[in-house]
Every structure is written in structure tokens, then in C-alpha cells.
């Protein structure tokens, strides 16, 4: 039945971190007085190394540069990462992609895991809904690793990995900082930020770090007045009774957000060799309204929508972790583990679904009360999703200065998702209400568990002083299950829902069980790398690596589980520095096999097929120059990403869409050669900054420009024609400020020219229904375009102590 817009529209991940234009090796040290911006230490290979010595396409950026580029949330930073693309439908619910590895999947609760893994320090925080939306403050650095990282980082790092590294407790002294910001969004409200930290030295071997933040983002989408008439109800009760009106919900700037949280970290040096680092971190994010504008029509205009039911989301999470580091002889041992709990509460309008299905098929005639009288078919969703994630990893590493170096370990992870989605039609009869609910026409109440086990290792051998060969592998096992209930009451449907149950309730809150499946597999992935250091400042490398994503369960019980997909990466890259000039880049081909292609099947249920093959050919580059107070950076990426096999509605061994299964009609959804959606062929940016003395202070002015090209909205030909391509757009940011030894002030503007770049578009049901290709509605289909934030002008000050 359902396209779970309430979940898709809130699905996501956060990155919070890297920037400056380059995906192949740009780096910005945390302190502004660092002489060489490339002298930043990263842990991409789970060892500490200088960024320019890592034969990997990686970006890294520290605390100060995050602040200078006005990074508060994921969308703020992705524009500076040419190899990264975002599909964002609201705060805390975004999906990210590296190098065009995206099939346009609707990432609802029972669909595929993300292709990009996200780590908070040592802990993976990737879930089915994406990563945590952490406010970007007091991060030591963020590392963005492009390409398959499965050898060291596992299942959900098929296309890349994002590492968020927090500033650890520091035993050197007691100090802190506070910061305030006041801002205003164009066409919207006032917002602001208050944040601060204190680092307390407890002894020569112990320190405590406490960090806190509060952010209010002003709204900029207006919910304007509108009305619609349900045809079935009108035929029985007249126009007045059948008219739905949203006057009670009309509000300007109704999509405001409040985010607050804290982190407490303790660092204890037991002796010269052993340290303990326990941390606890949590955040609450409350968002009102909807973060999409309705595509302009006779009713709506720029930054406007017409919603008939309350919309909001509440995202709360708490994470605790412990890392132990020590020595076993001259080998390093790291043992780490953690636990995460997250709860999201979502209310969403679903009246478009009700209206279009009534207008097309007369579905409104099936919604009646206990007296047999028709009721309004208006629908809305109330969802509660609860996540738990636990992990453990132990690894050892040989001395970093040895000619032969080894790193390896074991990994375990279990993540569960308790899913509850109530599709409500008020006042319907008991006979058509899902048992155990107040007025649900449809209920999804399921319990999903994803389990991962692995052993991994890498060996590096210095063939000569300049030539190094690295080989790695990961033996993995996944074991994933989905059990519970989805569907109607047996009084409403004779096949879907209660009528299809084969057992009593297994998941608490469900009337019975009509889905109970499990899939598991074991495999091996590899990595080979050859690095040649031409000089101390120039290296070239070649890599052949593989990443994977676990298979899972189709919630439509008649479909089999879908298998894992893999990504093979063939890459040649270089890193070079010539005095004030830095030039890094990579050329690559990625072959994506058995793609977990997802789409809306019958009744609007997501279906996933392991039926696709794609090839991505591209390059990325970073060019940087620094001399005196002037720094210039230009970066970009090109990705030619296409499927290489026809995509059929029903997969078969011959991959021939002309072969019809018994009793069914197959269809060609997208021919070979179709571009993958979401990612532009070209994405690039440039940043110029000039630091200069002014009245005994350090002044600066900075200007940044970002461009993203045209993108397909959907892999499928018919649906893409309905929704349309996403147009190219360009944004510009500017800032000017001064800084003393212990305080700073800055005036800034982001999206200076108020661009309306679109990052995603959605409908509340299938595109062929709610997209209204047949002209059922006088206003046409109802598309929700998620736009980037309008122009934001702000002033921020900070004080160190």
C-alpha cells in the first residue's frame, strides 16, 4: 500500500565535517597558525599518518575550518565535497553518496542499508535511517574516505566512509571557549546558536571535557491556505461535507528546528602505555513542519506548501563508548565498544495519497463509520522508530616504522529497529480498523535486526625505500531478519494484512504475524595497493579494492530476500606538493554488481531486486595554493555513472524484459546506458581567503562558490519523466571577520544570491498516481521539492578562556 513518506522524508545521515573543495587529499589543520595545511594527522588506515602520505582519496578538516566555512549541519559541508552527494528531506534524515554510487532507492525502514558508513570516533553510527545528525562543534577533524573501505570499515562502507573525530580530553591544562551566533534566513525567521566547552585537567594523567550546544534554525517554508474536495464523499454528502480545509494549520515559516545536546569525555592515562577513554554523548532535535516547497502551481509559489495534517519530527539519541589503547610489547592494541539508542517520532501529512486514490479509483467509498456512513478519507501518519546499536572491535598493529607492517582484528555489531507506522483515517468503523489500534487503516509493526561479524587485516611491505605493496582482506558474515505485521484489517482486505497472518503476534503491539524471514551470507572482500614515492613530496598509487553491502528482507512476503551487492574500485591517484602549491587527484573506475535496486511495486510497497549492473568512471582533483595571507583552492569531480544492463520490473536469470513470468507482465523500467540518479556528472567549488593584520588584530575575508550539475531524479524512465531532472545550481558564500588571541567576531552570508537548488523531490504515493500524469487534479500532481536553505546572514562571536 504505502510509499512511506514519513520515513523516507526523514531518512538520513549526517556528516558534519570535511570541507574545502577537494576529495583527493585537501586538508586543513585545526590551528590557524599551522605552517603547512597538509600537516594534519588522520586515522583513515586506523593508524596515525600524515594526510599527504596516505595513498587514499581522502579529505580532512579541523575545528577551525569547520567554523570558518559556517558548517553546522550536513548540507553546509557537502557542497564543498565534489565526490559527495546528498539527498536530504529534513534535519537528521539525509542519505549521502560517494562518486555517484546511488540508485535512487527509497530508504524506508525495510529497505537497503546505506552505501556510506559513518563513524563517531571508533564507533560506527550508520543505521538504516542514515547517520546521526550531530551538531558540528568541538570536532578535532572529519575524514571523508572515498571509494570502497570495506576491508577496514566493513559492510556499510561500500562506497566510502565518513569519520567524525571529537577533540579528546587534554591533560595539559584547564581551558575552554564559548560562542554565540545570531542569524536571519531570507524569507524566514531569526535563528541562533549558543555553544561552549570546558577542558578540565584533573591530574597529570587525567582530564575531563564537557561540551554543550543549542541551536535554533528559523523556518522559511510557509504552509498556506488550501482546500480540496473528495469525490466519493461529495457524491454522497455534498460538496460542503466533502471539502477538506487546512485553515487551522496555516502558518508562516513553520519549519523551525531546535537542536540541543552535550558530550562528556574522560581521558585516563593508566601509565605510559595504557589509556582509557569513556565518552557519553546525546542530542535532541525537534523539527516542525515540512522542509520541501510544493512545486509551483496555481496554488503555491516559492517556499510554500499546502499541508492538511500536522507535520513534525522528534529525534533523540544517546551514545556511550569506551576505547582502551595500550601496548603488547612494541605492538599497539586497541579495544573499543559502544552502545547507541535512538528514537524518532514523526507526524506526516498523507492526504495526497487519500485524494488521488479517491479521484482515480474511488477509494473514498471504502471508508465508513460504524453507522455505515462515509467518513473523510483524509490520512495522516504517526510513526515511532526505536533503534539500538551495539558494537565491539579489537585490533592490533605492528610498529609503524617496520619494513613489514600489519594491522588486523575482529569486529561484531548488532543493530535493531523497532518499527511502528500508523496510517490513520479518523472515525472509521471497527470492522475496518486494524485490531489493537484506535483508527488505523494500515499498520506497520515490525522488528528488524541486522547482525555483522568479521575478521580483517592488512599487510604492508616496503619493497624498496620508495615502493610499498599493501594487501588486505575481510572475511564477513551478515545475518539479517525482519518479523512482524504490515497491512490492513481482515474486514478491509481479504489478502493483505490480518488476512495474510500465519501466526500470532511476535512483535508487541501487532495484531498477528504475516512476515517472518531471515537471510544470511558469508564472503570475502579484498584490497591491493601499490604506492611509489617519487620524492618526499610526491607519491602515486594504484588501488584495486572491493566493498559490499549486506542483503536483506523484502517486506512483501511473496518476494524472496535480496542478496548483497558489491563495488569493485580500480583507482590511480597522486598526491603532490611543490612549495606553496598542492595538487592531488584520482582517476577511477567502479563496477557495481548485483545492485539492490528498489522501487515502489504493487500497492505502493517498496520492492528490492538484486538485478543491476552499473559502471562509474570518473576523476576528482584538488588544487591548492597558499602564499602569505592568501589561499586559493579549486576542486571538482566528474562521474559518468550508468547502468550496463536493462532494468526490468521482474528480474530473471536472462535479464530480458521481454520474458514474461507466468500470469505476469514484465516491463522495461530503464534501458542499459541510463544514467544513475541523484549525482551530477560534474560538481565543483572554489574558495579564496585572505588573512591580513588590522589594528593589531588578525582580519580575514573569504569567498566561496559551489556548483552542482543537472541530475536525474529517478533511474526509471517513466517516473523520471514525471518528476523531471534536478536543474543545475550555483551558490556563493562570503565572510569577513577579526580575531585576537582570545576572542573573534565574524559577519557572514551563505547562499548569498538566494539560490533555489533542489536536492530531492518526493510524492506521497507512486509517481504515476500522486504525480498525476493523467491530469486528475485541477492543480496537477503534488511534488515536494527539497531546496537548499535560502540566504542566511549572521553574526557570530566567540571567547576563549
Amino acid at each position: 500500500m504505502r510509499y512511506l513518506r514519513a520515513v523516507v522524508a526523514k531518512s538520513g545521515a549526517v556528516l558534519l565535517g570535511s570541507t574545502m573543495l577537494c576529495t583527493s587529499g585537501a586538508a586543513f589543520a585545526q590551528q590557524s597558525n599551522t605552517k603547512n595545511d597538509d600537516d594534519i594527522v588522520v586515522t583513515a588506515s586506523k593508524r596515525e599518518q600524515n594526510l599527504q602520505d596516505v595513498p587514499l582519496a581522502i579529505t580532512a578538516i579541523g575545528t577551525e575550518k569547520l567554523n570558518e566555512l559556517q558548517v553546522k549541519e550536513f548540507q553546509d559541508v557537502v557542497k564543498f565535497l565534489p565526490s559527495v552527494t546528498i539527498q536530504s528531506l529534513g534535519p537528521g534524515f539525509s542519505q549521502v553518496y560517494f562518486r555517484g554510487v546511488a540508485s535512487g532507492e527509497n530508504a524506508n525502514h525495510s529497505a537497503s542499508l546505506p552505501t556510506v558508513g559513518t563513524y563517531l570516533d571508533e564507533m560506527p553510527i550508520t543505521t538504516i535511517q542514515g547517520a546521526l545528525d550531530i551538531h558540528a562543534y568541538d570536532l578535532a577533524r572529519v575524514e571523508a574516505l572515498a571509494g570502497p573501505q570495506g576491508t577496514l570499515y566493513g559492510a556499510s562502507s561500500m562506497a566510502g566512509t565518513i569519520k567524525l573525530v571529537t577533540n579528546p580530553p587534554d591533560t595539559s591544562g584547564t581551558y575552554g571557549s564559548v560562542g554565540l551566533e545570531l542569524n536571519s534566513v531570507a524569507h524566514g525567521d531569526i535563528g541562533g546558536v549558543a555553544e561552549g566547552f570546558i577542558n578540565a585537567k584533573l591530574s597529570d594523567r587525567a582530564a575531563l571535557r564537557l561540551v554543550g550546544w543549542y541551536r535554533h534554525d528559523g523556518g522559511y517554508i510557509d504552509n498556506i491556505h488550501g482546500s480540496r474536495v473528495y469525490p466519493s464523499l461529495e457524491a454522497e454528502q455534498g460538496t460542503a461535507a466533502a471539502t477538506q480545509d487546512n485553515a487551522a494549520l496555516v502558518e508562516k515559516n513553520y519549519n523551525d528546528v531546535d537542536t540541543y545536546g552535550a558530550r562528556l569525555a574522560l581521558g585516563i592515562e593508566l601509565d605510559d602505555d595504557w589509556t582509557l577513554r569513556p565518552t557519553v554523548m546525546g542530542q535532541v532535535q525537534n523539527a516542525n513542519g515540512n522542509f520541501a516547497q510544493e512545486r509551483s502551481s496555481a496554488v503555491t509559489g516559492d517556499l510554500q506548501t499546502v499541508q492538511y495534517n500536522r507535520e513534525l519530527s522528534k529525534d533523540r539519541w544517546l551514545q556511550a563508548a569506551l576505547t582502551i589503547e595500550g601496548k603488547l610489547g612494541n605492538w599497539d592494541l586497541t579495544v573499543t565498544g559502544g552502545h547507541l539508542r535512538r528514537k524518532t517520532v514523526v507526524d506526516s501529512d498523507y492526504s495526497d495519497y487519500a485524494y488521488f486514490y479517491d479521484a482515480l479509483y474511488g477509494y473514498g467509498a471504502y471508508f465508513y463509520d460504524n453507522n455505515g456512513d462515509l467518513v473523510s478519507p483524509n490520512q495522516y501518519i504517526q510513526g515511532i522508530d526505536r533503534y539500538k546499536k551495539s558494537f565491539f572491535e579489537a585490533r592490533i598493529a605492528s610498529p609503524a616504522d617496520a619494513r613489514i607492517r600489519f594491522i588486523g582484528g575482529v569486529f561484531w555489531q548488532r543493530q535493531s529497529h523497532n518499527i511502528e507506522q500508523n496510517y490513520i483515517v479518523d472515525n472509521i468503523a471497527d470492522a475496518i480498523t486494524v485490531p489493537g489500534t484506535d483508527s488505523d487503516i494500515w499498520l506497520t509493526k515490525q522488528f528488524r535486526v541486522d547482525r555483522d561479524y568479521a575478521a580483517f587485516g592488512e599487510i604492508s611491505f616496503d619493497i624498496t625505500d620508495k615502493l610499498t605493496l599493501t594487501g588486505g582482506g575481510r572475511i564477513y558474515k551478515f545475518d539479517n531478519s525482519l518479523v512482524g505485521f504490515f497491512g490492513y484489517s481482515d474486514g478491509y482486505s481479504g489478502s493483505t494484512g490480518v488476512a495474510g497472518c500465519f501466526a500470532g503476534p511476535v512483535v508487541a503491539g501487532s495484531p498477528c504475524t504475516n512476515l517472518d524471514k531471515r537471510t544470511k551470507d558469508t564472503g570475502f572482500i579484498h584490497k591491493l595497493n601499490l604506492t611509489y614515492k617519487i620524492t618526499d613530496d610526491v607519491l602515486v598509487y594504484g588501488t584495486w579494492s572491493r566493498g559490499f553491502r549486506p542483503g536483506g528482507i523484502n517486506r512483501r512476503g511473496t518476494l524472496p530476500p535480496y542478496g548483497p551487492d558489491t563495488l569493485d574500485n580500480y583507482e590511480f591517484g597522486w598526491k603532490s606538493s611543490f612549495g606553496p602549491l598542492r595538487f592531488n587527484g584520482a582517476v577511477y573506475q567502479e563496477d557495481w554488481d548485483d545492485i539492490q535496486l528498489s522501487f515502489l511495486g504493487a500497492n505502493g510497497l517498496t520492492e528490492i531486486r538484486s538485478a543491476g549492473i552499473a559502471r562509474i568512471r570518473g576523476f576528482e582533483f584538488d588544487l591548492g595554493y597558499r602564499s602569505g595571507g592568501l589561499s586559493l583552492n579549486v576542486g571538482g569531480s566528474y562521474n559518468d555513472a550508468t547502468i550496463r544492463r536493462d532494468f526490468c520490473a521482474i528480474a530473471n536469470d536472462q535479464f530480458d524484459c521481454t520474458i514474461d513470468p507466468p500470469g505476469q507482465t514484465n516491463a522495461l523500467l530503464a534501458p542499459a546506458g541510463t544514467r544513475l540518479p541523484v549525482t551530477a556528472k560534474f560538481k565543483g567549488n572554489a574558495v579564496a581567503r585572505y588573512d591580513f593584520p588590522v589594528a593589531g588584530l588578525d582580519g580575514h575575508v573569504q569567498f566561496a562558490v559551489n556548483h552542482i550539475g543537472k541530475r536525474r531524479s529517478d533511474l526509471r524512465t517513466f517516473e523520471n519523466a514525471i518528476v523531471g531532472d534536478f536543474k543545475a545550481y550555483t551558490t556563493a558564500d562570503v565572510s569577513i571577520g577579526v580575531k585576537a588571541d582570545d576572542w573573534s567576531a565574524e559577519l557572514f552570508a551563505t547562499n548569498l544570491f538566494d539560490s533555489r537548488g533542489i536536492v530531492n523531490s518526493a510524492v506521497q504515493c507512486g509517481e504515476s498516481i500522486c504525480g498525476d500524469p493523467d491530469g486528475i487534479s485541477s492543480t496537477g500532481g503534488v511534488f515536494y521539492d527539497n531546496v537548499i536553505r535560502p540566504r542566511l546572514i549572521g553574526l557570530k562571536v566567540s571567547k576563549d578562556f
Side-chain angles (χ1 to χ4, degrees):
M1 167 180 162
R2 311 293 181 205
Y3 175 61
L4 191 51
R5 178 172 169 266
V7 177
V8 177
K10 314 292 191 216
S11 77
V14 73
L15 177 113
L16 289 182
S18 355
T19 102
M20 218 52 195
L21 9 229
C22 38
T23 56
S24 57
F28 297 90
Q30 181 180 345
Q31 302 300 325
S32 61
N33 60 357
T34 301
K35 294 182 179 180
N36 187 340
D37 280 332
D38 297 325
D39 289 338
I40 187 171
V41 173
V42 296
T43 55
S45 299
K46 298 202 172 182
R47 292 177 183 268
E48 291 189 347
Q49 291 178 276
N50 185 293
L51 179 72
Q52 287 295 96
D53 294 331
V54 180
L56 174 70
I58 175 178
T59 60
I61 183 171
T63 305
E64 188 161 326
K65 281 298 175 180
L66 288 170
N67 185 56
E68 290 174 357
L69 292 166
Q70 320 307 331
V71 173
K72 301 179 183 68
E73 60 185 2
F74 181 64
Q75 289 194 72
D76 297 334
V77 68
V78 167
K79 61 186 180 183
F80 293 101
L81 299 173
S83 284
V84 181
T85 303
I86 181 175
Q87 275 193 308
S88 180
L89 294 159
F93 300 89
S94 301
Q95 293 288 346
V96 297
Y97 307 97
F98 273 94
R99 293 180 172 175
V101 182
S103 61
E105 55 275 292
N106 48 61
N108 70 15
H109 48 74
S110 60
S112 303
L113 287 165
T115 60
V116 175
T118 309
Y119 275 65
L120 176 59
D121 293 322
E122 294 285 348
M123 181 173 179
I125 54 174
T126 315
T127 70
I128 181 60
Q129 296 297 80
L132 305 180
D133 189 2
I134 304 170
H135 176 68
Y137 181 67
D138 198 46
L139 295 176
R141 64 184 181 276
V142 176
E143 302 173 16
L145 291 59
Q149 305 297 324
T151 305
L152 292 180
Y153 292 97
S156 286
S157 292
M158 181 176 75
T161 298
I162 304 296
K163 292 191 68 177
L164 314 176
V165 182
T166 61
N167 281 312
D170 178 10
T171 58
S172 67
T174 296
Y175 56 90
S177 180
V178 293
L180 295 173
E181 176 184 316
L182 182 67
N183 58 57
S184 176
V185 62
H187 321 286
D189 279 340
I190 302 296
V193 181
E195 54 196 9
F197 78 88
I198 182 168
N199 185 94
K201 178 180 178 179
L202 303 180
S203 71
D204 290 340
R205 291 189 176 272
L208 185 72
R209 196 175 189 96
L210 178 63
V211 185
W213 58 90
Y214 170 79
R215 186 175 94 227
H216 175 75
D217 295 318
Y220 51 86
I221 300 289
D222 298 337
N223 190 24
I224 66 172
H225 181 259
S227 63
R228 59 171 32 134
V229 177
Y230 290 101
S232 295
L233 193 60
E234 181 183 33
E236 180 180 278
Q237 299 181 12
T239 302
T243 299
Q244 184 178 25
D245 189 286
N246 74 336
L249 297 174
V250 169
E251 182 180 352
K252 288 184 64 64
N253 310 321
Y254 87 136
N255 62 323
D256 58 299
V257 187
D258 289 289
T259 304
Y260 54 93
R263 174 170 60 89
L264 179 64
L266 179 65
I268 303 172
E269 300 174 4
L270 299 178
D271 55 29
D272 292 340
D273 293 331
W274 291 88
T275 62
L276 301 177
R277 294 199 309 272
T279 62
V280 178
M281 188 173 185
Q283 182 175 278
V284 175
Q285 187 171 64
N286 296 326
N288 295 308
N290 191 305
F291 288 79
Q293 64 180 18
E294 283 190 34
R295 195 168 294 179
S296 295
S297 67
V299 178
T300 58
D302 192 36
L303 300 177
Q304 292 181 338
T305 188
V306 179
Q307 296 299 289
Y308 293 90
N309 297 283
R310 184 179 71 161
E311 297 208 304
L312 59 83
S313 69
K314 298 178 180 180
D315 184 8
R316 304 181 180 188
W317 54 265
L318 180 67
Q319 180 250 6
L322 172 64
T323 298
I324 303 172
E325 295 181 319
K327 292 281 191 181
L328 294 177
N330 62 350
W331 287 55
D332 295 321
L333 172 68
T334 302
V335 179
T336 182
H339 183 72
L340 167 70
R341 295 197 174 202
R342 183 184 187 187
K343 178 182 179 181
T344 60
V345 177
V346 175
D347 286 2
S348 290
D349 182 81
Y350 207 50
S351 60
D352 294 352
Y353 178 97
Y355 170 74
F356 280 103
Y357 268 92
D358 188 31
L360 277 171
Y361 306 116
Y363 274 27
Y366 299 102
F367 300 111
Y368 51 87
D369 60 21
N370 285 329
N371 294 323
D373 298 323
L374 292 186
V375 300
S376 172
N378 170 58
Q379 290 193 43
Y380 56 95
I381 305 170
Q382 292 182 344
I384 303 176
D385 293 86
R386 298 175 176 88
Y387 309 87
K388 294 181 182 179
K389 187 183 187 83
S390 299
F391 97 105
F392 170 83
E393 181 175 295
R395 64 179 185 270
I396 56 172
S398 63
D401 57 356
R403 185 176 182 185
I404 299 178
R405 299 174 296 281
F406 171 79
I407 184 170
V410 294
F411 176 86
W412 167 85
Q413 175 181 268
R414 183 184 189 275
Q415 53 184 332
S416 65
H417 182 184
N418 192 322
I419 306 156
E420 180 178 337
Q421 304 292 325
N422 300 279
Y423 293 78
I424 301 170
V425 178
D426 287 331
N427 305 314
I428 56 175
D430 296 340
I432 60 174
T433 298
V434 176
T437 70
D438 292 332
S439 197
D440 281 19
I441 190 64
W442 175 285
L443 170 69
T444 299
K445 192 72 176 82
Q446 299 172 339
F447 189 69
R448 172 176 178 165
V449 181
D450 294 74
R451 311 164 186 86
D452 294 282
Y453 315 85
F456 61 90
E458 283 191 0
I459 298 177
S460 296
F461 173 56
D462 293 335
I463 301 173
T464 69
D465 291 342
K466 294 181 177 294
L467 186 63
T468 300
L469 176 66
T470 299
R474 189 180 188 98
I475 301 172
Y476 67 85
K477 176 183 178 181
F478 67 82
D479 183 355
N480 301 334
S481 60
L482 184 65
V483 61
F485 173 85
F486 68 99
Y488 304 104
S489 71
D490 54 358
Y492 188 81
S493 171
S495 58
T496 303
V498 173
C501 282
F502 50 77
V506 173
V507 179
S510 63
C512 53
T513 299
N514 58 14
L515 177 64
D516 188 356
K517 286 192 174 183
R518 194 165 184 167
T519 184
K520 61 181 69 176
D521 195 11
T522 301
F524 173 80
I525 58 173
H526 63 270
K527 174 184 176 181
L528 288 174
N529 174 276
L530 189 64
T531 301
Y532 184 71
K533 201 151 191 178
I534 300 173
T535 70
D536 288 343
D537 296 321
V538 179
L539 68 80
V540 295
Y541 68 88
T543 297
W544 174 31
S545 58
R546 172 173 290 182
F548 82 102
R549 179 170 51 168
I553 305 299
N554 269 297
R555 66 168 173 162
R556 186 187 294 280
T558 56
L559 295 177
Y562 53 91
D565 50 358
T566 59
L567 186 73
D568 282 292
N569 178 51
Y570 309 91
E571 179 174 329
F572 171 77
W574 63 93
K575 294 188 174 181
S576 61
S577 300
F578 305 96
L581 184 68
R582 180 192 63 252
F583 179 43
N584 298 336
V587 180
Y588 47 84
Q589 175 177 301
E590 296 186 328
D591 292 331
W592 190 5
D593 292 334
D594 298 320
I595 302 174
Q596 297 173 13
L597 291 169
S598 61
F599 60 97
L600 297 179
N603 303 116
L605 282 176
T606 298
E607 299 182 4
I608 302 172
R609 316 274 189 177
S610 297
I613 294 178
R615 172 167 289 171
I616 301 103
R617 287 175 171 162
F619 66 86
E620 55 197 33
F621 70 92
D622 155 51
L623 183 64
Y625 174 81
R626 175 181 290 273
S627 179
L630 176 67
S631 63
L632 302 172
N633 294 272
V634 179
S637 70
Y638 174 85
N639 287 284
D640 184 13
T642 59
I643 59 171
R644 303 182 63 212
R645 173 188 294 160
D646 290 348
F647 176 31
C648 309
I650 303 173
N652 54 60
D653 293 337
Q654 291 78 25
F655 301 101
D656 186 346
C657 300
T658 64
I659 299 176
D660 296 331
Q664 302 181 68
T665 300
N666 209 344
L668 175 64
L669 300 183
T674 301
R675 282 181 55 195
L676 292 176
V678 180
T679 300
K681 275 193 173 183
F682 178 77
K683 181 183 178 185
N685 48 48
V687 177
R689 182 181 177 90
Y690 184 63
D691 294 282
F692 53 90
V694 52
L697 303 174
D698 295 325
H700 77 267
V701 60
Q702 180 173 287
F703 184 77
V705 61
N706 310 274
H707 174 80
I708 182 168
K710 185 175 72 171
R711 295 136 288 146
R712 286 180 66 93
S713 61
D714 200 293
L715 177 64
R716 299 164 297 169
T717 304
F718 178 70
E719 284 75 10
N720 190 76
I722 296 173
V723 179
D725 291 335
F726 300 145
K727 295 181 180 179
Y729 65 91
T730 302
T731 63
D733 304 338
V734 64
S735 64
I736 184 170
V738 294
K739 182 178 181 180
D741 290 338
D742 60 354
W743 66 269
S744 66
E746 185 175 46
L747 179 67
F748 68 89
T750 60
N751 193 8
L752 180 63
F753 301 110
D754 205 21
S755 169
R756 289 290 177 272
I758 297 174
V759 296
N760 195 63
S761 186
V763 289
Q764 290 185 10
C765 56
E767 293 85 355
S768 62
I769 306 298
C770 288
D772 195 25
D774 299 320
I776 299 301
S777 170
S778 61
T779 58
V782 183
F783 299 93
Y784 297 92
D785 293 334
N786 287 83
V787 296
I788 60 176
R789 188 184 300 276
R791 179 177 55 247
L792 185 77
I793 297 176
L795 174 67
K796 60 183 182 182
V797 295
S798 67
K799 179 70 169 68
D800 301 334
F801 59 86

